[in-house]
Amino acid sequence: THKAHRVHKAGASAKKKLVEKKRKNAEKNNPRAFTMQSAQKADRMARRKAELNEKKYHLPMADRTPTIPPPIIVAIVGPPQCGKTTLIKSLVRRYTKHMLSEIRGPVTIVSGKKQRITFLECPNDINAMTDVAKVADLVLLVLDASYGFEMETFEFLNLLQTHGMPKVMGVLTHLDDFKDNKRQKLVKKNFKHRFWTEVHDGAKLFFLSGVENGRYLDREILNLSRFISVVKLRPLTWRNSHPYMLADRVQDLTDPEILESNPKANRTVALYGYLRGTHMKGKDRVHIPGAGDYQLDQTELLADPCPIPDKERKRLDERHKLIYAPMSEVNGVMYDKDAVYIDVRKTKHEENAVEGEGEKMLSELQKASNVSDRLAMHQFNLFSGAKPVPASAVRRPAVFDDVEISADEGSEANDSDEVSGSEDEDDDGSDSESDDDEVDDDAANSGPVDYRAQRIAA
């Protein structure tokens, strides 16, 4: 058999050949001696150098970020049943050691000494996708490896291009459906190249291989969380020059009595959230997606519900608040301008526990609808040992010219007037008619009628 010639890589002859090769390359690749040898090549090099210099120039942008920046909005987008909720639960568990049983609305967590993140799950609706594309700073595009790219994914990418194209990272789930390692590697490779085609070359794509105890593997979530914490976001000119707010909590301030009488009455609604972009004035007109254009009645600066930990703990009982999710099942106490909100929701294993007196009182206050319903169910005792009097047996007193007359007294006065009137009619009908005319004239001239005086005279 003929063997290929093996070149010596060590020894005197190998060193001699290496020195000879370097000398020849130095003579051939001398840029100063051979720059103008080809005019076309020199022109191409000059054009390329000019293009590289032009890419370094950027328009100066005003840094409108405040001293304490608001939380960055991370939107989790994907088709149904692809693992969006499980991904949020796993990330929240990684950052705060808190396991949420239900994801409702935005979830804000503290991810570092100077950074906070708001996770927002996007539902499978074109209107919701449009609204999320307007405010998202970072998008985690969840893809189902067992199914492939779906139409919702392409529609959302088109919406992102329309609204400025923020940072996009992909997350590939359901890889545990592939039992063959060779098949799994091929699927990963195909998805990566397809994702690069849709977003850009070199876009990050993370692989989540399986689910354990209701969440993804800790090692893979740790890798994803590190990339989220150090990601450099693209500054978008439109967002930096316009104020906008993602509402973390919505409260209806309308009087319950008004809603009970007229369910379609005009509402007074308070929206709580972090203001982003520029400053917002007190009487600006704003657009609420799905509701229309409205004018603000009042804006107030409230305390940060999820502050950045700015000091070290001196005692063990001091705890930094690492999560703020008012719409999800996160127990806590919130202070507003004129109210205190206490969440006393229980977990499943606490439902059968015996409630204390304070917990019963709070539960009854939460169940009560309005004042009139609560009063209608009350009873009171006039004397000890007597039968309790329900609220339905009590009738309101009638008021005439700042004088209160109970319903029983008014009925007695009417009865006496009717008896005297009947006797007068039996005596002489004509006299009674003339007397009535005189009474009417006197009442018209004298002003308001004193019904109490009539009752005493009767």
Side-chain angles (χ1 to χ4, degrees), residues 409-427:
E409 293 174 352
S411 62
E412 292 176 0
N414 294 334
D415 295 340
S416 61
D417 290 340
E418 291 175 0
V419 172
S420 62
S422 61
E423 292 176 355
D424 295 339
E425 290 177 358
D426 294 339
D427 295 341

Side-chain angles (χ1 to χ4, degrees), residues 177-192:
D177 294 344
F178 301 96
K179 305 302 180 182
D180 187 9
N181 292 334
K182 186 177 295 185
R183 173 65 178 168
Q184 189 181 106
K185 289 182 180 180
L186 182 61
V187 168
K188 288 181 179 180
K189 182 179 179 181
N190 294 337
F191 264 96
K192 183 179 69 172

Side-chain angles (χ1 to χ4, degrees), residues 207-415:
F207 306 108
L208 302 180
S209 57
V211 178
E212 289 184 1
N213 299 325
R215 62 181 187 271
Y216 293 110
L217 301 181
D218 294 340
R219 173 176 48 82
E220 297 169 348
I221 292 297
L222 175 62
N223 187 27
L224 176 60
S225 62
R226 285 177 175 175
F227 273 88
I228 294 175
S229 301
V230 301
V231 67
K232 293 183 179 179
L233 304 177
R234 292 188 56 197
L236 302 179
T237 309
W238 174 263
R239 296 185 188 178
N240 291 339
S241 58
H242 293 78
Y244 64 98
M245 184 184 74
L246 175 64
D248 295 327
R249 183 163 62 94
V250 181
Q251 183 182 1
D252 190 358
L253 303 179
T254 313
D255 191 357
E257 303 250 346
I258 297 177
L259 296 179
E260 184 180 2
S261 58
N262 184 14
K264 296 185 179 180
N266 293 332
R267 305 291 185 94
T268 302
V269 181
L271 303 174
Y272 301 85
Y274 292 93
L275 182 64
R276 297 170 172 85
T278 57
H279 300 287
M280 183 180 291
K281 299 179 182 178
K283 299 295 182 180
D284 287 349
R285 289 186 62 85
V286 296
H287 175 75
I288 301 176
D293 297 336
Y294 296 91
Q295 185 172 3
L296 295 178
D297 181 58
Q298 186 181 5
T299 56
E300 295 182 4
L301 180 62
L302 301 177
D304 196 343
C306 187
I308 296 177
D310 54 351
K311 61 179 181 179
E312 296 182 357
R313 292 189 301 175
K314 297 181 180 179
R315 298 182 302 176
L316 293 177
D317 57 351
E318 292 182 357
R319 296 183 60 186
H320 297 307
K321 190 173 183 180
L322 301 179
I323 183 171
Y324 173 63
M327 296 185 186
S328 301
E329 293 185 359
V330 179
N331 299 332
V333 180
M334 291 186 298
Y335 297 90
D336 278 346
K337 178 184 177 184
D338 54 354
V340 180
Y341 301 91
I342 305 175
D343 191 358
V344 291
R345 293 179 180 177
K346 294 184 176 181
T347 57
K348 293 183 179 180
H349 67 276
E350 294 179 347
E351 291 180 354
N352 299 327
V354 180
E355 291 185 347
E357 184 177 354
E359 293 180 353
K360 289 181 179 179
M361 182 181 67
L362 290 175
S363 300
E364 292 297 330
L365 288 175
Q366 287 182 342
K367 294 177 183 178
S369 58
N370 51 40
V371 179
S372 60
D373 293 342
R374 293 200 301 267
L375 291 177
M377 301 173 60
H378 279 234
Q379 298 178 352
F380 65 93
N381 296 333
L382 290 175
F383 305 101
S384 60
K387 184 179 180 180
V389 180
S392 59
V394 180
R395 290 178 288 182
R396 290 183 179 177
V399 180
F400 301 100
D401 290 342
D402 298 334
V403 178
E404 293 187 1
I405 302 176
S406 64
D408 297 337
E409 293 174 352
S411 62
E412 292 176 0
N414 294 334
D415 295 340

Side-chain angles (χ1 to χ4, degrees), residues 48-172:
R48 183 173 182 275
K49 187 176 182 179
E51 290 176 358
L52 293 177
N53 291 334
E54 187 67 24
K55 288 182 180 180
K56 297 180 181 179
Y57 298 140
H58 296 282
L59 293 176
M61 294 183 61
D63 187 9
R64 303 182 185 273
T65 306
T67 306
I68 302 177
I72 62 174
I73 300 176
V74 179
I76 288 82
V77 186
Q81 304 297 325
C82 64
K84 300 189 294 295
T85 305
T86 308
L87 179 59
I88 296 180
K89 290 180 180 179
S90 302
L91 289 171
V92 171
R93 172 75 161 66
R94 158 70 182 88
Y95 283 113
T96 65
K97 306 298 182 183
H98 191 98
M99 192 66 183
L100 296 179
S101 59
E102 184 182 5
I103 302 295
R104 293 178 57 191
V107 179
T108 303
I109 54 98
V110 177
S111 60
K113 294 182 179 179
K114 297 182 180 180
Q115 188 186 51
R116 292 169 294 182
I117 299 175
T118 297
F119 293 108
L120 179 63
E121 182 178 352
C122 179
N124 189 30
D125 181 64
I126 190 65
N127 297 319
M129 289 181 180
T130 306
D131 298 333
V132 169
K134 294 178 181 178
V135 299
D137 299 320
L138 172 64
V139 175
L140 295 182
L141 203 59
V142 184
L143 307 173
D144 190 351
S146 62
Y147 191 86
F149 281 85
E150 299 188 32
M151 187 57 65
E152 292 86 351
T153 306
F154 299 112
E155 290 177 354
F156 186 75
L157 288 174
N158 291 333
L159 290 172
L160 288 180
Q161 293 175 357
T162 306
H163 294 97
M165 198 61 187
K167 192 79 172 180
V168 179
M169 293 194 300
V171 178
L172 195 60

Side-chain angles (χ1 to χ4, degrees), residues 2-54:
H2 298 282
K3 294 183 180 180
H5 176 68
R6 293 187 299 176
V7 180
H8 292 283
K9 297 181 180 180
S13 59
K15 290 182 180 180
K16 184 177 179 182
K17 290 182 180 179
L18 182 61
V19 171
E20 185 70 18
K21 185 176 181 181
K22 287 182 178 180
R23 185 180 61 81
K24 291 183 178 180
N25 290 339
E27 293 178 355
K28 185 174 64 174
N29 297 331
N30 188 356
R32 295 185 178 181
F34 301 97
T35 299
M36 301 304 295
Q37 185 176 1
S38 174
Q40 294 180 355
K41 187 175 181 180
D43 183 58
R44 286 197 304 268
M45 293 177 62
R47 288 176 180 271
R48 183 173 182 275
K49 187 176 182 179
E51 290 176 358
L52 293 177
N53 291 334
E54 187 67 24

